[in-house]
Amino acid sequence: MSFNQPLGGNEMPRFAGPATFMRLPSAEVPDGIDVGFVGIPVDAGASNRPGARYGPRGIRTESVMIRPYHMASRAAPFDSLQCADLGDVPVNTYHLPKTIAIIEAFFSRILASGCRTLAMGGDHVVTLPVLRAYAKHYGAGRLGVVHVDAHADVNDDMFGEKETHGTWMRRAIEEKLVDPKRVVQIGLRATGYAADDFDWSRRQGARVVPAEECWNRSLSPLMEEVRAQLGAGPVYISFDIDGLDPAYAPGTGTPEFAGLTGIQGYEIVRGCHGLDIVGGDLVEVAPVYDASGNTAMLGANLLYEMLCVFPGVQRRTG
Ligand code: MN
Ligand code: MN
């Protein structure tokens, strides 16, 4: 069996070639693909700065430098999994509720074919329909979630609306898409509407790790605890780039200071190795606030890191 490989930098200059994630082959249909990269160009769920609709394009552009092998872990994801860029979800940019239904249908079709997904947001509202599709596929209330974010995203509503980038996790728990006892939220911080804003998640059984508990330390020991908490069973990674400090990830819609470092972001994703990772997303990259491209580049690398912790990825020895 031959596996799709990203187009190499010695075959075509890195600044040229297909505009897919890591310059992987694109696929019209998910059949025969193990992991598909999907863009979800939405920012109608965002409450402050717009621009995450350009996230998928920005992430793909900044993914060109990523080479196929993971040096630290010796993971060889493209030797183990058939990967492709499945393109963008054809959202209705005039109508968020319709967009949410379109996203769910798009992901349901992918999952039904046996393909799993790594999604490029888009603001964080996109995770809700993706989780609806995953919950249908894996069973209600079974999914665990490793959720990195500055925000808990558990508001009951925003401006009266139930489906936004600040309410998706509350809906996911209420709709029993996820098992709240297998949810961990890392990097939460800054200011809230009430002093007990983060306690709603805790009352549902989730583990909340505020940014202050992460300052000035390695997160590898935390991830050991997270692996023990989540145990067996499917796990989804939802990584809001604003979980990282704006020093590392300025290109985002609702930045908060005193966040995680880029290295801590890597430690979290690498620390998911051993869990039954079934999918993930990297959301809230808004390239217009990102003069260097570093936010999108970091996002692209975090998606690659997620791919490397999928079950079944071989790790080359020697
Ligand atoms: Mn978020
Ligand atoms: Mn956030």
Side-chain angles (χ1 to χ4, degrees), residues 38-42 51-53 55-56 59 107 118-128 130 147-151 153 165 168 236-244 249 251-254 280-287 295-296 298-300 302-303 306:
V38 183
I40 317 180
V42 172
R53 66 176 62 181
I59 290 168
F107 278 76
L118 286 172
M120 301 172 266
D123 74 63
H124 219 156
V125 75
V126 305
T127 303
L128 180 61
V130 173
H147 172 205
V148 182
D149 208 317
H151 314 96
D153 294 350
H165 77 157
W168 69 270
Y236 186 90
I237 303 172
S238 189
F239 201 120
D240 183 332
I241 200 74
D242 72 29
L244 306 182
T252 194
T254 48
D281 59 51
L282 189 294
V283 298
E284 299 281 0
V285 169
T295 310
L298 186 46
L302 286 164
L303 283 162
M306 289 182 207

Side-chain angles (χ1 to χ4, degrees), residues 103-288:
I103 296 167
E104 181 183 343
F106 195 93
F107 278 76
S108 294
R109 159 82 181 91
I110 295 172
L111 294 172
S113 78
C115 180
R116 291 163 292 170
T117 59
L118 286 172
M120 301 172 266
D123 74 63
H124 219 156
V125 75
V126 305
T127 303
L128 180 61
V130 173
L131 286 178
R132 284 175 179 154
Y134 266 85
K136 262 193 300 183
H137 190 77
Y138 286 95
R142 289 195 64 228
L143 285 171
V145 184
V146 175
H147 172 205
V148 182
D149 208 317
H151 314 96
D153 294 350
V154 294
N155 293 296
D156 189 22
D157 68 85
M158 297 180 84
F159 246 78
E161 300 299 326
K162 294 283 194 179
E163 296 177 334
T164 76
H165 77 157
T167 59
W168 69 270
M169 176 57 93
R170 188 160 179 146
R171 296 291 94 76
I173 291 174
E174 286 175 350
E175 294 178 20
K176 300 189 174 17
L177 308 179
V178 303
D179 176 358
K181 294 186 179 58
R182 296 181 69 242
V183 169
V184 57
Q185 301 184 288
I186 307 171
L188 278 52
R189 61 185 183 273
T191 49
Y193 290 106
D196 62 353
D197 267 4
F198 298 158
D199 292 341
W200 188 88
S201 307
R202 293 188 174 105
R203 285 198 297 274
Q204 316 310 310
R207 177 165 185 193
V208 173
V209 184
E212 287 79 1
E213 288 180 20
C214 302
W215 288 353
N216 307 311
R217 66 179 61 170
S218 166
L219 297 188
S220 298
L222 167 70
M223 293 311 294
E224 222 173 289
E225 296 173 17
V226 168
R227 287 194 299 275
Q229 178 193 341
L230 270 54
V235 175
Y236 186 90
I237 303 172
S238 189
F239 201 120
D240 183 332
I241 200 74
D242 72 29
L244 306 182
D245 192 85
Y248 301 93
T252 194
T254 48
E256 309 280 3
F257 280 105
L260 309 182
T261 67
I263 290 172
Q264 288 175 318
Y266 277 42
E267 286 177 328
I268 291 169
V269 179
R270 291 181 185 185
C272 290
H273 182 238
L275 292 169
D276 183 15
I277 301 299
V278 294
D281 59 51
L282 189 294
V283 298
E284 299 281 0
V285 169
V288 287

Side-chain angles (χ1 to χ4, degrees), residues 26-96:
S26 59
E28 295 289 318
V29 291
D31 308 80
I33 304 298
D34 297 311
V35 179
F37 291 87
V38 183
I40 317 180
V42 172
D43 54 21
S47 55
N48 188 31
R49 300 170 177 170
R53 66 176 62 181
Y54 303 112
R57 185 136 301 188
I59 290 168
R60 287 186 176 107
T61 298
E62 297 299 340
S63 72
V64 298
M65 274 290 292
I66 307 174
R67 290 165 286 262
Y69 296 104
H70 192 272
M71 303 314 288
S73 70
R74 295 180 180 262
F78 303 105
D79 296 353
S80 319
L81 299 171
Q82 197 67 267
C83 298
D85 190 320
L86 300 179
D88 293 323
V89 180
V91 300
N92 181 338
T93 200
Y94 300 106
H95 201 298
L96 182 57

